[in-house]
Amino acid sequence: MSTTSVFKETSKAPALRDAAVRLAERARDEGWSHEEYLAACLQREVTARDSHGAEGRIRAARFPSRKSLEDFDFDHQRSVKREVIGHLGTLDFVVGKENVIVPRLPGTGKTNLAIGLGIRACQAGHRVAFATAAQ
């Protein structure tokens, strides 16, 4: 039975299905063991699932736009400290089940920071719900 026919029916592992033949060829060319080939296949599927899961969580959070912490303009908002945002980006507050309060005047980037932190949390495997104060 060929590698192609084994994975044609695999709908529960689409990344594995798509990568198995290419990885099998590479494994033959480079002399991988069966274990190395299996590990490479499974790593592709895990990586794809993590990526798709993060995208699904980001969509489910209903952010009004897509912003990242890396996109934040610290030159425009000099009162915001890079070190503080960097620390928040570690998501220690999520793991510690702590709140983050950002009191600032309108137009100072609070929403962008909240979206950036929320997206970072989604990518780390956390479910997020975005809402404005009015909502």
Side-chain angles (χ1 to χ4, degrees):
M1 181 177 276
S2 74
T3 307
T4 307
S5 63
V6 169
F7 291 109
K8 276 189 176 170
E9 301 300 320
T10 306
S11 62
K12 297 285 185 182
L16 178 59
R17 179 194 61 224
D18 296 342
V21 174
R22 288 189 316 267
L23 286 173
E25 292 169 2
R26 184 174 168 198
R28 276 190 294 277
D29 293 345
E30 296 178 15
W32 292 358
S33 68
H34 295 294
E35 292 85 2
E36 290 169 321
Y37 170 69
L38 179 60
C41 286
L42 294 176
Q43 185 57 51
R44 289 282 172 100
E45 185 63 29
V46 167
T47 300
R49 286 179 183 220
D50 287 347
S51 175
H52 288 114
E55 285 303 313
R57 287 186 295 274
I58 289 169
R59 280 192 303 278
R62 298 179 175 232
F63 296 111
S65 61
R66 192 144 181 174
K67 306 283 185 182
S68 72
L69 294 179
E70 293 76 22
D71 294 336
F72 189 78
D73 186 3
F74 288 96
D75 294 330
H76 180 70
Q77 292 301 329
R78 296 179 196 273
S79 64
V80 177
K81 305 245 185 291
R82 288 180 193 266
E83 302 79 33
V84 172
I85 302 307
H87 177 69
L88 290 173
T90 66
L91 304 176
D92 286 345
F93 71 95
V94 175
V95 175
K97 298 179 181 177
E98 300 168 342
N99 294 319
V100 174
I101 299 173
V102 185
R104 298 267 181 217
L105 297 173
T108 56
K110 295 181 301 297
T111 301
N112 288 351
L113 288 174
I115 292 170
L117 288 170
I119 287 176
R120 176 83 52 95
C122 289
Q123 293 167 336
H126 301 284
R127 290 182 300 158
V128 174
F130 182 88
T132 64
Q135 290 171 328

